[in-house]
Amino acid sequence: MSINWYPGHMLKTKNQIIQDLKLIDVVVEILDARIPLSSQNPDLAKIIEGKKHIIILNKSDLAEENENNKWVACFKKQDKTAVIVNSNSGKGINDVLKQIEIIMQEDMEKAALKGINRKRIRLMIAGIPNVGKSSFINRICNKKSAAVGNKPGVTKQKQWVRVSNNIELLDTPGVLWPKFEDEDVALKLAYTGTIKDDVIIKVDVAYSLLKYLYDNYKENIFERYKVTEEELEERVEIDAETEYEVDRIYCLMKLIAKKRGALLSGGNFDDEKVARIILDEFRSGMLGRITLEKV
């Protein structure tokens, strides 16, 4: 299976972000804590070169806690600041604000020595779709922040929003999307819902995800769907009598379909329905805290 997808507005959005960066002090890059590598925009590192940069491991409640901590340490070894955040609950937001002030402290002090009164730190939020960019913005701005107003060099389409007394956020339309050249990356983005379901083969994606979960989080699967190893072996044996080649993961999908009533007339299982169940429950965290990319 391959996923071919290249949004046509990428170039326009990239050029806009490059233009906006002239106004920015710190770029805040939002990543999905379950896939810290695959949710990184491949072009962003080049675009923001020379800019101060903070990484947000968002949706941290959906990923393993110990893996989140390992990723923070990994980024630190690369001289990058990473903060663990759950935008839905607000956990980690204050840590982000503290890190922004720390990373800008030296610049603010240098400006003061030159007699320049810098009252505001200007942020840009970057992130591919479905990493929680909007939720993060709403949370860090307390959902009630008023627009600061137009500033020199800012078009009417851009809006400065006050985050705190000394921090402002440039809220710009559009998101910088990556070009998916690596099938493994594309699959992980499909698992998490970044690539919309209407441009993928849902059954294939769910099968691939289930295989990873069976290999790495078997107990999560068995507990959620009330499946036992004995039932799976029995299903494998049944298929071995009628099928040319037995697929254990496909047998597991059949069991999940049976448990959830995803059946068609005649007793055949509804592969589209069971695929939707597996993907939806993974994305919502019902299968437990799962990290797809580990240090």
Side-chain angles (χ1 to χ4, degrees), residues 261-275:
L263 301 173
L264 300 170
S265 59
N268 294 321
F269 88 101
D270 188 338
D271 54 359
E272 286 284 341
K273 184 174 181 179
V274 75

Side-chain angles (χ1 to χ4, degrees), residues 150-166:
N150 289 336
K151 302 231 175 163
V154 183
T155 67
K156 292 181 180 179
Q157 285 77 26
K158 300 183 183 68
Q159 192 178 57
W160 288 93
V161 181
R162 183 167 291 131
V163 174
S164 65
N165 289 333
N166 65 329

Side-chain angles (χ1 to χ4, degrees), residues 105-118:
Q105 183 176 356
E106 185 177 346
D107 284 13
M108 301 292 272
E109 290 175 353
K110 286 181 179 179
L113 289 174
K114 295 178 181 179
I116 302 171
N117 187 12
R118 289 198 58 179

Side-chain angles (χ1 to χ4, degrees), residues 35 38 183-194 282 292-293:
I35 49 171
S38 292
E183 183 177 327
D184 184 58
V185 169
L187 275 172
K188 289 171 183 173
L189 293 173
Y191 298 159
T192 57
T194 292
F282 164 73
L292 299 176
E293 292 177 335

